[in-house]
Every structure is written in structure tokens, then in C-alpha cells.
Amino acid sequence: SKALSAEGLLVANVQADTDQPREIGKRLFKVFEGSMISVLSDEGGNDIVTAGPRHLFEQCVADFESHWQAIGAAHQATLAVALVSLLATPLRDTLDLANIVMLFLLAVLFAAVRFGRGASVVAAFLSVAAFDFFFVSPRLSFAVSDVQYLVTFAVMLIAGLITAHQTTNLRFQVDVAQR
């Protein structure tokens, strides 16, 4: 089956277990002046071919890059929290939980300094969730057996959000001073 949009974008599902896909691919490559992507399906037996005017592909790349930049910082903040979780897990019987909270706050501070307010807010919420899930009894659950940890979560979140806000303000002031 195939579809050609009003903008001239073609999407085709081509049976890949014959020589036909190569021939179709060559023709589409020629017709669309190289603006073509062919992806072998994970299911096997089919190629998904997309072809169209170059400006559509360039617009897609530009849209992807702008979206990636917008979410890239949050993803990296997520990785920072995941790294703290991985590094602190073997230490959970050695370190007091208050010290583990400090490690998570470092991840929030890192996100605030490196990426700004949005990513550090993500890191603050994820840090509370990761701390609860991996370190608070019962482990590997979001259930809380001791109500005192609700206070810990609230203070941890507030401290993370204040850190994010203050660090972002400081970065802004540094930018203004450098102008």
C-alpha cells in the first residue's frame, strides 16, 4: 500500500523479500532527487519507504532538532538522577539516608547549573521519586511505611526547587553582568 500526501510526501510499504524494493528504491531516489529514506521493518519482509521534496525533509530535520534541544536538558537531568541512584544503591546499607538525600540534591544542583530551571525541576521531582522507590522501606515500591519520610520528601522537593530557582537567577545575573 502507498500514500502520497498533498505536499508530495510518499510513504510506501514495499515487500522486501524480492529484488523489487531495490528497483523501487532506485526509481524513487531518482524521481525525488535523493530525498528518500528506506527503513527495513523489524518484522522482516518489508521496507518502509518515505520520499518527498527536499524542503519537507529539511523541515523535518529542523523540527526534530528544535524538539530535541527542548527536551535534551530534561533527559540529561534524568540521567543524572539515574546515575545517583545507581551509585548510591550499593551504599544504602553504609550511608545514612540523609546522606543519600544529599547526593540526590547534588543531582538537582548539577541540573540547575548545567541546564537551567526546567531540567532542575524535573531532577527535583525524579530525585524524590527515586529516593522513595530505591531507598525508603519498603524498597522497590512507592509505598511509605514511615510517615516521617513524607516530611523528608517535602523538604527534599522544596530544597530542590529553591536550589533550581536560585541557581537559575544566579545564571541570569551572570549573563546580564557579562553583557
Side-chain angles (χ1 to χ4, degrees):
S1 75
K2 56 187 170 183
L4 184 61
S5 73
E7 297 86 16
L9 185 67
L10 172 89
V11 179
N13 182 2
V14 181
Q15 188 74 23
D17 55 4
T18 66
D19 288 336
Q20 183 185 14
R22 278 189 291 262
E23 290 303 315
I24 291 172
K26 287 178 188 177
R27 289 180 191 162
L28 289 173
F29 191 83
K30 186 175 181 179
V31 168
F32 288 99
E33 299 173 343
S35 296
M36 185 188 86
I37 301 171
S38 179
V39 179
L40 180 62
S41 170
D42 287 341
E43 303 289 319
N46 290 332
D47 276 349
I48 308 301
V49 177
T50 305
R54 183 166 299 281
H55 75 276
L56 285 179
F57 280 85
E58 290 168 353
Q59 183 61 46
C60 287
V61 169
D63 289 347
F64 174 80
E65 287 174 350
S66 69
H67 284 54
W68 182 253
Q69 289 173 355
I71 63 171
H75 280 93
Q76 291 182 21
T78 302
L79 288 174
V81 172
L83 183 63
V84 168
S85 299
L86 278 171
L87 294 175
T89 298
L91 303 172
R92 69 178 172 222
D93 295 327
T94 306
L95 293 178
D96 188 56
L97 289 181
N99 293 322
I100 292 174
V101 166
M102 295 300 120
L103 295 175
F104 280 107
L105 287 177
L106 277 176
V108 175
L109 181 62
F110 167 77
V113 169
R114 181 86 166 90
F115 307 115
R117 180 176 287 129
S120 57
V121 168
V122 169
F125 279 98
L126 288 176
S127 290
V128 170
F131 177 71
D132 178 22
F133 192 79
F134 293 112
F135 299 99
V136 174
S137 185
R139 289 186 185 135
L140 304 179
S141 165
F142 288 111
V144 178
S145 63
D146 191 346
V147 178
Q148 76 173 351
Y149 286 112
L150 296 177
V151 174
T152 303
F153 299 154
V155 170
M156 186 178 172
L157 184 60
I158 290 167
L161 294 175
I162 289 171
T163 300
H165 178 73
Q166 294 297 342
T167 305
T168 302
N169 285 345
L170 183 60
R171 286 179 65 190
F172 175 75
Q173 291 173 359
V174 168
D175 287 345
V176 169
Q178 289 177 342
R179 289 184 196 164

